[in-house]
Amino acid sequence: NAGVTQTPKFRVLKTGQSMTLLCAQDMNHEYMYWYRQDPGMGLRLIHYSVGEGTTAKGEVPDGYNVSRLKKQNFLLGLESAAPSQTSVYFCASSYRGRYEQYFGPGTRLTVT
Amino acid sequence: RKEVEQDPGPFNVPEGATVAFNCTYSNSASQSFFWYRQDCRKEPKLLMSVYSSGNEDGRFTAQLNRASQYISLLIRDSKLSDSATYLCVVTLSGNTPLVFGKGTRLSVIA
């Protein structure tokens, strides 16, 4: 099993460009999450999904959109990237909300 | 008051030392508790769950004090490989997402 995978691993964007980060899990987990991690800020939840076709906002959702069309995939979109979105993005999945979360290796995004 | 608070450290300890971290949480309705470990530039990984009766896994011991709303992690006989950031994690109930603390950084020195 690959666990949780993220694509791409690194990306540099110019301000105003758009991109989509892909997260995939092969553990048949119901819940999936997108976090960002910045120095001194810890992990902050952007959006999450409790099942196929459903999404919910987390702590810092502004500037991001998500979609969960298939149970195994969770996409994070940046429509118009800003330098404030420079961060490390982690995807995670879990069986249910209160169970252990498994994280992907992260995507390092720089917006110039 | 933040939901989960941890001393950011760093804790610099010599090999073989015993070190303890505490974490406090604000919501008394919190139900599940975990310690995660995050190595530099890597993803967080579950270290251990924290049970009401306390639990031990090798050199690691986790305790929960519901009355005072804090969780502790004790590491005995520290190894160089224990150097990492330790994240305290709680969840309220049922299916609400986990809430992560900002982490405590540990450096074990030879």
Side-chain angles (χ1 to χ4, degrees):
Chain A
N1 287 350
V4 180
T5 58
Q6 293 184 231
T7 309
K9 289 186 169 54
F10 303 92
R11 185 73 186 268
V12 178
L13 284 180
K14 293 189 189 307
T15 297
Q17 288 184 319
S18 64
M19 77 164 294
T20 300
L21 282 66
L22 171 63
C23 175
Q25 54 95 3
D26 62 2
M27 295 174 282
N28 202 34
H29 283 165
E30 292 294 331
Y31 282 54
M32 295 187 75
Y33 314 83
W34 275 107
Y35 294 90
R36 60 178 290 173
Q37 188 172 40
D38 304 292
M41 300 298 292
L43 281 166
R44 292 185 291 170
L45 183 63
I46 304 172
H47 287 280
Y48 66 102
S49 168
V50 302
E52 185 177 322
T54 70
T55 63
K57 293 180 180 179
E59 181 187 355
V60 288
D62 294 341
Y64 306 94
N65 56 74
V66 288
S67 64
R68 182 103 180 265
L69 298 179
K70 293 183 179 180
K71 186 176 183 179
Q72 63 268 34
N73 295 338
F74 195 27
L75 277 63
L76 178 71
L78 285 73
E79 288 187 349
S80 179
S84 60
Q85 294 178 304
T86 293
S87 188
V88 180
Y89 291 86
F90 287 105
C91 175
S93 71
S94 68
Y95 175 62
R96 288 284 189 269
R98 63 182 178 88
Y99 286 81
E100 173 188 0
Q101 288 185 13
Y102 294 81
F103 284 79
T107 295
R108 283 169 174 73
L109 175 66
T110 301
V111 182
T112 60
Chain B
R1 182 180 175 187
K2 296 194 185 303
E3 291 188 66
V4 179
E5 293 202 62
Q6 297 181 249
D7 181 342
F11 285 62
N12 299 313
V13 302
E15 271 187 294
T18 295
V19 61
F21 310 133
N22 281 345
C23 159
T24 58
Y25 60 95
S26 60
N27 194 319
S28 59
S30 297
Q31 291 192 356
S32 299
F33 309 89
F34 308 90
W35 283 102
Y36 277 65
R37 170 194 169 125
Q38 185 173 23
D39 293 308
C40 188
R41 300 180 71 80
K42 297 286 190 181
E43 72 272 23
K45 293 184 179 178
L46 180 69
L47 177 66
M48 57 197 305
S49 301
V50 186
Y51 304 119
S52 297
S53 55
N55 48 301
E56 188 174 308
D57 183 2
R59 297 181 293 107
F60 298 84
T61 300
Q63 298 275 358
L64 168 64
N65 185 318
R66 284 190 184 273
S68 301
Q69 294 180 210
Y70 78 81
I71 310 158
S72 64
L73 177 68
L74 181 78
I75 305 175
R76 291 181 298 277
D77 188 24
S78 298
K79 312 289 185 192
L80 293 176
S81 57
D82 294 333
S83 297
T85 296
Y86 291 84
L87 307 174
C88 173
V89 186
V90 307
T91 190
L92 284 176
S93 64
N95 295 316
T96 56
L98 303 181
V99 179
F100 287 78
K102 293 183 180 180
T104 297
R105 194 154 59 93
L106 171 66
S107 237
V108 182
I109 306 159

